[in-house]
Amino acid sequence: MIFEIAHIQVKTGSNAAFEAAVTRAVPLFQGAQGCESMRLERSIENTDAYRLVVGWTTLEDHTVHFRSSEAFQSWRALVGEFFAAPPQVEHMNTVVAGF
């Protein structure tokens, strides 16, 4: 599995609305080809900072299939207005699973 990790900074004061929009977007990810998991994490130290962590079967499931889909356009329409800056996205492989 590949993990997409999107570092998202939202506009101050938009946290509740952003989190509600991400909740509404869950079905978009559930229906996406190769999407195995999705979660949103919020920073304790910087409450406007989030990490969206999405598990994909393959890198292409995210970069090709999802990114070119109508679901991606719907995702961006739901959450894009809350971004303080464009999200920074990286893809990770698990190399050590300690326990």
Side-chain angles (χ1 to χ4, degrees), residues 71-91:
F72 178 74
Q73 298 304 317
S74 297
W75 156 250
R76 289 309 289 256
L78 281 168
V79 299
E81 69 180 282
F82 304 110
F83 296 162
Q88 300 298 309
V89 178
E90 57 188 341
H91 297 91

Side-chain angles (χ1 to χ4, degrees), residues 31-72:
Q33 175 180 324
C35 188
E36 298 184 24
S37 63
M38 177 260 204
R39 71 180 188 270
L40 182 68
E41 301 172 344
R42 184 176 180 183
S43 173
I44 294 168
E45 292 80 14
N46 174 3
T47 58
D48 292 336
Y50 290 86
R51 301 296 176 264
L52 176 71
V53 182
V54 184
W56 299 97
T57 304
T58 68
L59 180 63
E60 293 75 20
D61 284 332
H62 175 233
T63 60
V64 176
H65 304 294
F66 185 68
R67 284 278 180 104
S68 64
S69 73
E70 204 170 293
F72 178 74

Side-chain angles (χ1 to χ4, degrees), residues 8-24:
I8 301 169
Q9 189 76 23
V10 300
K11 297 173 187 169
T12 300
S14 68
N15 303 85
F18 172 69
E19 291 172 19
V22 173
T23 299
R24 288 192 305 277

